[in-house]
Amino acid sequence: RFPWQVHVYQQAARIGNVLYQLPCYCRCDRSLGHTSLRSCYEGVHGTECSTCAKEAFFASQQLKLGKNVTQIREAIGRHEYESIDLDKQ
């Protein structure tokens, strides 16, 4: 277990209403039937997938910077979450 695995679920619990409005780019919608990024945290998928974890941490950081859901969704669409280093979360 990595420290980020626990931390990402803590963050997801705090911003579930935002994660519900965001897509996930790991294609879990196709393989697992997920409907949003929040779906990744309704089970254990968020601990197994670095894409989901990076997106959730990114969303949390962007909220703290005052960004709204539309801005966060657009930034995720540009793959800005890829800059997240999970080992530093």
Side-chain angles (χ1 to χ4, degrees):
R1 181 187 288 200
F2 297 100
W4 65 262
Q5 291 172 311
V6 173
H7 190 216
V8 74
Y9 272 82
Q10 292 169 339
Q11 294 297 315
R14 289 186 190 110
I15 63 167
N17 61 329
V18 171
L19 298 183
Y20 177 73
Q21 300 174 65
L22 299 175
C24 181
Y25 282 96
C26 81
R27 302 295 182 225
C28 58
D29 58 335
R30 295 177 185 168
S31 62
L32 300 172
H34 289 175
T35 57
S36 70
L37 186 54
R38 185 174 76 180
S39 298
C40 303
Y41 296 94
E42 293 172 349
V44 297
H45 182 71
T47 64
E48 301 166 344
C49 180
S50 63
T51 299
C52 298
K54 288 179 179 185
E55 287 183 42
F57 279 126
F58 180 79
S60 179
Q61 288 177 351
Q62 295 301 298
L63 283 172
K64 289 176 185 172
L65 293 172
K67 304 291 182 169
N68 63 40
V69 174
T70 301
Q71 292 168 318
I72 296 169
R73 187 181 313 109
E74 290 171 353
I76 287 175
R78 293 188 300 269
H79 296 268
E80 291 180 22
Y81 64 89
E82 292 176 355
S83 65
I84 296 292
D85 182 347
L86 293 176
D87 293 325
K88 294 183 180 180
Q89 299 304 315

